[in-house]
Amino acid sequence: MATVTGNEPQAGEDAVARERNRPPTEVAEKRAPRSRVARFFEAWPPSVLLALGWILAMLVIAAFVEVLAAYSYTAMDLRARLTPPIFWGGTDVRHLLGTDELGRDVLSRLLYSIRMSLLIAFFGTLIAAALGTFLGILAAHFRGWVEDVVLMMIDFQASMPFLIIALAVLAFFGNSLILFICLMGFHGWERYARISRGLAIAANEQGYAGAVRQLGAPAWRIYGRHILPNIASTLIVSMTLAFPETILLESGLSFLGLGVQPPLTSLGNMVGYGREYITRAPWIMLAPSVVIILTTLSISIVGDWLRDRLDPTLK
């Protein structure tokens, strides 16, 4: 037979009393469901939406620059050289952002520079991620002396200043766009190697990898079809966080004259040429500088947001 103690009614009465004494605003917030707009902005913060909008605009510019640019990036008009922008006191509506020292339209050169810098950063990041992931998985699979060699290469790459490597390579082999992109891909691969090695070792200890191995699947299938898709989210987040670094590195090398060579143009190339006219025509340098800052900031914001969304430990 169940027994009833005297404390149970008292506990129920205390709960009812606490509920009655709860402030009305707290009760309303507890009962009222969140609106659809509130849920949307919780999943997609305004800063992320602005960053995605800026990135989308950069991609549209890179894809349709021939249609959007009013002039070629090499078209010169010496009669209109160093014309200020319309918001800087200029009156020539044909050049909204002014012209440079050779009369070239800054806006048109800026649009072409965005495409060049994004292409270099994209393929450079892709090469670094592919190389680092391959070496990391190689070390995780073979272990032993292969892992020791890969770790030694990682430590050497991390300890060597990349600028010295870039100077040596460009001095011996000359400067070309293909070589420069490959050089950008050689930067930062050790980061992906460390991440992929650690994740692949942990994944090999999981049950699904052992089960597939027991069924007789070859190593390339185990890593390509099972392990790599499970660690891809972390690698993608690392790529989004490394992408701005590649843009800044390309801009820095082009600023020093080691990157994109004339007649091609990039954001860093424009900043490098504009530094000589920073007192007379600062708009030449300011326009690409603002684009570099906003682009790297936007990609960093999206990368942090993706990390929060894809990392299971933060959910």
Side-chain angles (χ1 to χ4, degrees), residues 30 55 61 77 108 118 209 211 217 230-231 244 285:
K30 181 179 178 181
I55 294 173
I61 290 173
D77 184 6
S108 298
L118 289 182
N230 281 279
I231 68 176
M285 184 177 179

Side-chain angles (χ1 to χ4, degrees), residues 117-241:
S117 294
L118 289 182
L119 284 175
I120 293 174
F122 174 76
F123 285 107
T125 304
L126 195 63
I127 292 173
L131 177 62
T133 303
F134 173 75
L135 291 177
I137 291 178
L138 198 69
H141 177 67
F142 289 102
R143 309 302 294 270
W145 67 270
V146 176
E147 184 180 24
D148 293 337
V149 171
V150 172
L151 292 177
M152 189 183 305
M153 293 170 58
I154 291 173
D155 294 335
F156 176 78
Q157 173 69 15
S159 62
M160 177 65 71
F162 183 76
L163 186 59
I164 296 178
I165 299 177
L167 287 172
V169 171
L170 296 176
F172 279 104
F173 299 101
N175 198 337
S176 66
L177 184 60
I178 302 294
L179 179 62
F180 186 66
I181 292 176
C182 294
L183 195 60
M184 291 295 100
F186 191 68
H187 170 71
W189 65 267
E190 73 278 1
R191 178 184 311 168
Y192 302 100
R194 284 197 181 101
I195 295 174
S196 59
R197 171 184 166 272
L199 293 177
I201 291 175
N204 275 318
E205 303 299 328
Q206 301 295 325
Y208 70 90
V212 176
R213 192 175 291 108
Q214 291 284 339
L215 293 175
W220 66 266
R221 184 178 182 87
I222 295 173
Y223 286 98
R225 295 291 300 273
H226 300 281
I227 294 180
L228 189 58
N230 281 279
I231 68 176
S233 60
T234 304
L235 295 174
I236 291 173
V237 172
S238 299
M239 290 178 65
T240 59
L241 296 177

Side-chain angles (χ1 to χ4, degrees), residues 112-122 247 250 266-268:
Y112 280 99
S113 297
I114 289 172
R115 180 171 69 175
M116 179 61 68
S117 294
L118 289 182
L119 284 175
I120 293 174
F122 174 76
I247 294 179
E250 180 276 325
S266 68
L267 295 174

